[in-house]
Amino acid sequence: MLSQVVELIESKHRFLITGHARPDGDSTGSSLALYWGLRALHKDVVVVMRDPIPPAYQELPGAGEVQVRPAIDEPYDAAFVIECSDLDRPGLPGLEKQFIVNIDHHTTTALFGHINWIDATAAAVGEMIYNLCKALGININQPIAECVYAALLSDTGSFHYANTTERTFKIASELVRRGARPAHVARALYESHSFGKIKLLGSVLSTLQRDESGRVAWVTMTREMMEAAEATEDDLEGIVNHPLSIRDVEAAVFFKEIHPGQFRISLRSKGNVDVSKIAERFGGGGHKYASGCTVIGTQDSVANRVLSSLQSELGTTSRAAD
Ligand code: 5GP
Ligand code: MN
Ligand code: MN
């Protein structure tokens, strides 16, 4: 819990921060905000990720100082593991030897830390880091403000998901007062796409299908589409929101053929169905509104299995495409 984290930070000096593999806006913004908070306390701190920070978040203060490493081989007083469902999610062997502080806002998170601070009421882990800075008496400076703002903007879908509350706007307001630049962050996150991403979006959207009920819609990306658009994995973020944006659609799926016969799947819901249940059935996780998993098989068999599972959860049965 929060008081344990505060006590640990006050009594120790040398810290590691990491987030999940393939960092997103919340894991990146939260990790960097904590980095700036610990720096303000003159701690010795490093952010280590398995994967590079995607271009959208590279303009965040401190992004250039993130170290990309395949493993952790030195001892730290403690390792903060941000937004991870289990200790394998960072993809960093050696982490298990550290004193682990697990910080997350997902209820499906395993309690893998020596300290576990889980707050399912937080819109983003960024909000928890903001609360932690306050509890530590840290002045919210410009870098902290901008990193927390990016985490909030990203995890609330630009303040339009159901996790957006009065408290979110109160915090966002203070962050702007402390120097976060909304237009700058929005441009980096939403108006700095690669040419390949928009080309890829075109071919992926041409696969759009929905079931007979009209409540489930899905799109598929093959290896060939990705190669033709010269797109990267970073370019896939956000595409699943397009099928979800259709009227009457309650849940959307994006099937991504990452390797031949291996599909990484993104599931999204408007709230009537908890898509973490479906992802968990296939060995993945996430939360009610957004979840993911990886499934092996042919395109048809993978689609059949995942869509059937989703439809039984929604109480619809047919899979006829249109
Ligand atoms: P995305 O669709 O953006 O990759 O992931 C959406 C959500 O599902 C995120 O909260 C992410 O942490 C979670 N998620 C995605 N893939 C996996 C996975 O393989 N395992 C687990 N446990 N969670 C996942
Ligand atoms: Mn995340
Ligand atoms: Mn999050």
Side-chain angles (χ1 to χ4, degrees):
M1 54 195 275
L2 176 59
S3 60
Q4 292 173 291
V5 183
V6 168
E7 200 176 308
L8 175 91
I9 291 173
E10 284 173 343
S11 62
K12 302 284 181 189
H13 184 69
R14 193 161 180 263
F15 299 111
L16 171 85
I17 301 170
T18 189
H20 55 75
R22 290 180 284 115
D24 58 17
D26 191 21
S27 57
T28 306
S30 300
S31 297
L32 292 174
L34 180 57
Y35 169 80
W36 289 113
L38 294 176
R39 288 265 311 252
L41 295 174
H42 307 290
K43 303 288 179 178
D44 182 352
V45 54
V46 62
V47 183
V48 176
M49 300 278 185
R50 189 197 71 176
D51 296 320
I53 301 298
Y57 314 119
Q58 270 166 15
E59 282 191 43
L60 288 179
E65 287 163 59
V66 173
Q67 298 183 13
V68 177
R69 288 198 223 153
I72 305 296
D73 39 28
E74 336 160 30
Y76 294 86
D77 292 339
F80 296 95
V81 179
I82 305 288
E83 227 205 358
C84 289
S85 50
D86 57 54
L87 203 46
D88 292 330
R89 282 278 283 159
L92 291 170
L95 196 56
E96 70 286 349
K97 296 192 200 113
Q98 310 288 334
F99 183 91
I100 299 289
V101 183
N102 170 14
I103 304 182
D104 197 6
H105 66 137
H106 296 120
T107 48
T108 51
T109 292
L111 301 180
F112 56 81
H114 297 91
I115 295 176
N116 296 284
W117 177 32
I118 314 298
D119 181 358
T121 70
V125 174
E127 181 177 328
M128 299 171 71
I129 302 299
Y130 168 89
N131 291 333
L132 175 61
C133 288
K134 292 256 164 174
L136 284 160
I138 296 168
N139 171 46
I140 306 289
N141 58 26
Q142 197 277 339
I144 297 174
E146 194 141 297
C147 292
V148 171
Y149 184 88
L152 276 180
L153 188 71
S154 168
D155 258 26
T156 58
S158 307
F159 304 110
H160 85 238
Y161 298 154
N163 59 351
T164 310
T165 63
E166 184 197 358
R167 199 174 61 205
T168 322
F169 287 111
K170 270 199 178 134
I171 295 172
S173 161
E174 187 186 341
L175 296 173
V176 173
R177 192 155 51 80
R178 301 275 181 171
R181 297 163 294 172
H184 178 82
V185 177
R187 171 162 286 211
L189 263 60
Y190 305 117
E191 295 171 358
S192 300
H193 297 312
S194 69
F195 186 75
K197 174 172 180 147
I198 303 304
K199 286 273 284 180
L200 181 69
L201 179 63
S203 50
V204 170
L205 286 182
S206 72
T207 71
L208 177 66
Q209 287 178 281
R210 63 179 165 181
D211 70 358
E212 242 173 23
S213 73
R215 295 163 72 199
V216 177
W218 62 96
V219 289
T220 308
M221 185 202 73
T222 62
R223 293 272 343 142
E224 293 74 34
M225 288 179 195
M226 202 164 159
E227 283 157 18
E230 294 181 21
T232 65
E233 286 194 34
D234 293 333
D235 294 327
L236 309 181
E237 207 178 315
I239 290 183
V240 67
N241 295 320
H242 291 276
L244 189 69
S245 71
I246 300 166
R247 180 166 24 118
D248 298 332
V249 165
E250 290 182 23
V253 190
F254 183 15
F255 297 96
K256 296 166 267 190
E257 191 187 24
I258 297 299
H259 300 293
Q262 184 180 336
F263 289 83
R264 189 145 66 222
I265 298 170
S266 288
L267 295 129
R268 295 292 186 273
S269 166
K270 282 182 186 150
N272 279 336
V273 59
D274 178 353
V275 286
S276 72
K277 287 190 190 161
I278 291 103
E280 278 172 30
R281 268 176 223 151
F282 294 94
H287 52 95
K288 184 177 171 185
Y289 296 92
S291 68
C293 55
T294 299
V295 183
I296 310 276
T298 62
Q299 191 177 320
D300 275 352
S301 86
V302 169
N304 271 319
R305 281 150 64 203
V306 173
L307 293 171
S308 304
S309 175
L310 182 55
Q311 285 164 325
S312 67
E313 199 63 37
L314 263 167
T316 59
T317 47
S318 100
R319 205 218 122 175
D322 80 354

Short mmCIF file of all heavy atoms in Angstrom, two decimals, residues 20 24 26-27 30 83 104-106 123-126 151 155 287, ligand 3:
data_model
loop_
_atom_site.label_atom_id
_atom_site.label_comp_id
_atom_site.label_asym_id
_atom_site.label_seq_id
_atom_site.Cartn_x
_atom_site.Cartn_y
_atom_site.Cartn_z
N HIS A 20 5.94 -2.54 -18.33
CA HIS A 20 5.78 -3.74 -19.15
C HIS A 20 6.50 -3.62 -20.48
O HIS A 20 6.83 -2.53 -20.94
CB HIS A 20 4.30 -4.11 -19.32
CG HIS A 20 3.43 -3.03 -19.88
ND1 HIS A 20 3.45 -2.67 -21.19
CD2 HIS A 20 2.49 -2.25 -19.28
CE1 HIS A 20 2.55 -1.72 -21.39
NE2 HIS A 20 1.96 -1.43 -20.24
N ASP A 24 3.54 1.56 -23.15
CA ASP A 24 2.48 2.41 -23.68
C ASP A 24 2.49 3.74 -22.92
O ASP A 24 3.41 4.02 -22.15
CB ASP A 24 1.12 1.70 -23.59
CG ASP A 24 0.77 1.30 -22.16
OD1 ASP A 24 1.38 1.84 -21.22
OD2 ASP A 24 -0.12 0.45 -21.99
N ASP A 26 0.70 4.99 -20.42
CA ASP A 26 0.66 4.98 -18.96
C ASP A 26 1.96 4.42 -18.38
O ASP A 26 2.54 5.02 -17.47
CB ASP A 26 -0.56 4.19 -18.47
CG ASP A 26 -0.80 4.35 -16.97
OD1 ASP A 26 -0.32 5.36 -16.39
OD2 ASP A 26 -1.47 3.48 -16.38
N SER A 27 2.43 3.29 -18.90
CA SER A 27 3.65 2.71 -18.30
C SER A 27 4.84 3.65 -18.52
O SER A 27 5.67 3.81 -17.62
CB SER A 27 3.92 1.29 -18.81
OG SER A 27 4.03 1.27 -20.19
N SER A 30 4.14 7.06 -16.39
CA SER A 30 4.23 6.80 -14.95
C SER A 30 5.66 6.51 -14.52
O SER A 30 6.11 7.00 -13.48
CB SER A 30 3.37 5.58 -14.58
OG SER A 30 2.04 5.82 -14.92
N GLU A 83 2.64 -1.14 -13.67
CA GLU A 83 1.57 -1.58 -14.58
C GLU A 83 1.81 -2.95 -15.20
O GLU A 83 1.63 -3.13 -16.40
CB GLU A 83 1.42 -0.54 -15.71
CG GLU A 83 -0.01 -0.15 -15.97
CD GLU A 83 -0.22 0.35 -17.38
OE1 GLU A 83 0.72 0.43 -18.16
OE2 GLU A 83 -1.39 0.62 -17.70
N ASP A 104 0.19 -0.90 -9.62
CA ASP A 104 -0.72 -1.11 -10.76
C ASP A 104 -2.14 -0.65 -10.41
O ASP A 104 -2.48 -0.48 -9.24
CB ASP A 104 -0.72 -2.59 -11.15
CG ASP A 104 -1.29 -2.84 -12.55
OD1 ASP A 104 -1.58 -1.86 -13.27
OD2 ASP A 104 -1.45 -4.01 -12.92
N HIS A 105 -2.95 -0.47 -11.46
CA HIS A 105 -4.35 -0.12 -11.25
C HIS A 105 -5.29 -1.16 -11.86
O HIS A 105 -6.47 -0.88 -12.03
CB HIS A 105 -4.65 1.30 -11.76
CG HIS A 105 -4.54 1.46 -13.24
ND1 HIS A 105 -5.45 2.16 -13.99
CD2 HIS A 105 -3.61 1.03 -14.12
CE1 HIS A 105 -5.08 2.14 -15.26
NE2 HIS A 105 -3.97 1.47 -15.36
N HIS A 106 -4.74 -2.33 -12.20
CA HIS A 106 -5.58 -3.40 -12.75
C HIS A 106 -5.90 -4.41 -11.64
O HIS A 106 -5.00 -4.86 -10.93
CB HIS A 106 -4.85 -4.13 -13.87
CG HIS A 106 -4.58 -3.27 -15.06
ND1 HIS A 106 -3.32 -3.02 -15.54
CD2 HIS A 106 -5.43 -2.59 -15.87
CE1 HIS A 106 -3.40 -2.22 -16.59
NE2 HIS A 106 -4.67 -1.94 -16.82
N ALA A 123 -7.45 6.20 -12.48
CA ALA A 123 -7.69 6.18 -13.94
C ALA A 123 -6.46 5.67 -14.69
O ALA A 123 -6.58 5.08 -15.76
CB ALA A 123 -8.06 7.57 -14.42
N ALA A 124 -5.30 5.91 -14.11
CA ALA A 124 -4.03 5.48 -14.71
C ALA A 124 -3.05 5.31 -13.57
O ALA A 124 -3.25 5.88 -12.48
CB ALA A 124 -3.51 6.56 -15.68
N VAL A 125 -1.99 4.54 -13.79
CA VAL A 125 -0.96 4.46 -12.75
C VAL A 125 -0.37 5.87 -12.54
O VAL A 125 0.02 6.22 -11.44
CB VAL A 125 0.14 3.44 -13.12
CG1 VAL A 125 1.27 3.46 -12.10
CG2 VAL A 125 -0.45 2.04 -13.19
N GLY A 126 -0.39 6.68 -13.60
CA GLY A 126 0.08 8.06 -13.48
C GLY A 126 -0.58 8.81 -12.32
O GLY A 126 0.08 9.58 -11.62
N ALA A 151 0.25 10.14 -19.16
CA ALA A 151 -0.31 8.87 -18.68
C ALA A 151 -1.83 8.96 -18.58
O ALA A 151 -2.56 8.06 -19.02
CB ALA A 151 0.31 8.51 -17.32
N ASP A 155 -4.46 6.83 -20.91
CA ASP A 155 -5.31 5.78 -20.33
C ASP A 155 -6.79 6.16 -20.26
O ASP A 155 -7.64 5.28 -20.09
CB ASP A 155 -4.81 5.39 -18.94
CG ASP A 155 -4.03 4.08 -18.97
OD1 ASP A 155 -3.47 3.77 -20.05
OD2 ASP A 155 -3.97 3.36 -17.96
N HIS A 287 -8.06 -5.33 -18.56
CA HIS A 287 -9.19 -4.93 -17.73
C HIS A 287 -10.49 -4.94 -18.53
O HIS A 287 -10.51 -5.36 -19.68
CB HIS A 287 -8.93 -3.62 -17.00
CG HIS A 287 -8.48 -2.51 -17.91
ND1 HIS A 287 -9.33 -1.60 -18.44
CD2 HIS A 287 -7.24 -2.20 -18.38
CE1 HIS A 287 -8.66 -0.77 -19.20
NE2 HIS A 287 -7.38 -1.11 -19.18
MN MN B 3 -2.76 1.96 -17.21
#
